[in-house]
């Protein structure tokens, strides 16, 4: 997994709780690299799982909720880190439609060893269905990313998560506020 996720996870813990909390998470996670990450490095997904597990134990927040909050913070950081990418899209639907065919393709060009999740979209009536599939258990992070994407584009639609399988695959339904989600 790309190091930017790890460096941003540490930043998230430092900013939402404290630097001391982030340090304690890294100590408790007992990682072979002692939590020394670079944004361009590659690290095992298991390291992120150990960090989340340690953060859950210290904070008492359930892993899916903690991961969702991290996804929201991660999107906010992507606005800062990759403004040229986000400025290409006029709204949330356009961005979400292009995660797989454009953004992740670009990631793979820059980092040939990257293995981003599969993200597809489908229009269904007034709703947009976003399907996420990965060999990594990070659907809750994707949920938070989508929530914050809507916020970024001042989109008042609501997103709900139709859980297909635990953390590896998900369908997210983005619908107008008054729409009933099936």
């Amino acid at each position: 997994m790309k190091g930017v996720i790890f460096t941003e996870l540490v930043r998230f813990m430092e900013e939402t709780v404290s630097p001391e909390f982030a340090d304690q998470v890294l100590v408790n996670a007992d990682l072979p690299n002692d939590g020394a990450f670079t944004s361009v490095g590659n690290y095992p997904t298991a390291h992120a799982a150990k960090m989340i597990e340690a953060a859950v134990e210290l904070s008492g927040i359930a892993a899916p909720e903690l991961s969702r909050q991290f996804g929201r913070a991660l999107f906010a950081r992507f606005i800062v880190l990759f403004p040229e990418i986000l400025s290409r899209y006029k709204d949330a639907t356009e961005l979400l439609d292009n995660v797989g065919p454009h953004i992740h393709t670009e990631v793979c060009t820059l980092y040939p060893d990257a293995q981003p999740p599969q993200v597809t979209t489908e229009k269904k009536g007034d709703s947009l269905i976003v399907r996420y599939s990965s060999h990594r258990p990070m659907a809750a992070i994707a949920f938070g990313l989508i929530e914050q994407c809507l916020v970024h584009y001042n989109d008042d639609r609501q997103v709900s998560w139709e859980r297909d399988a635990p953390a590896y695959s998900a369908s997210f339904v983005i619908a107008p506020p008054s729409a009933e989600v099936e």
Side-chain angles (χ1 to χ4, degrees):
M1 191 160 68
K2 296 313 290 176
V4 68
I5 301 302
F6 291 91
T7 58
E8 292 305 322
L9 181 55
V10 171
R11 174 191 294 272
F12 166 72
M13 291 183 290
E14 288 174 342
E15 291 180 356
T16 58
V17 182
S18 71
E20 295 79 19
F21 176 82
D23 288 343
Q24 192 60 55
V25 165
L26 293 172
V27 167
N28 290 9
D30 193 28
L31 302 173
N33 67 349
D34 295 323
F37 301 107
T38 65
S39 62
V40 294
N42 286 310
Y43 305 96
T45 303
H47 287 17
K50 285 179 126 184
M51 291 170 63
I52 294 289
E53 183 180 306
V56 165
E57 287 176 15
L58 289 169
S59 70
I61 299 172
E65 176 58 19
L66 187 67
S67 296
R68 183 188 70 78
Q69 289 176 19
F70 172 57
R72 290 181 66 104
L74 187 59
F75 189 92
R77 286 293 297 158
F78 285 168
I79 295 166
V80 173
L81 296 171
F82 309 110
E84 69 285 352
I85 293 174
L86 294 175
S87 68
R88 294 177 190 162
Y89 305 106
K90 68 179 188 297
D91 58 32
T93 297
E94 189 176 352
L95 182 137
L96 293 167
D97 284 344
N98 283 286
V99 168
H102 180 241
I103 296 171
H104 285 168
T105 299
E106 228 175 269
V107 167
C108 288
T109 300
L110 292 171
Y111 307 103
D113 58 340
Q115 296 177 317
Q118 298 297 309
V119 178
T120 60
T121 58
E122 174 190 352
K123 187 99 167 115
K124 187 176 179 184
D126 287 343
S127 298
L128 179 69
I129 313 299
V130 179
R131 290 192 175 78
Y132 166 92
S133 177
S134 177
H135 65 285
R136 296 181 186 101
M138 302 201 169
I141 294 172
F143 186 50
L145 284 163
I146 293 168
E147 286 181 316
Q148 195 61 34
C149 174
L150 294 172
V151 169
H152 172 71
Y153 286 103
N154 296 314
D155 190 322
D156 67 351
R157 292 179 295 174
Q158 299 170 342
V159 59
S160 62
W161 179 355
E162 294 181 352
R163 294 174 192 241
D164 298 330
Y168 293 93
S169 135
S171 293
F172 304 104
V173 179
I174 301 172
S178 60
E180 290 290 321
V181 178
E182 299 177 10

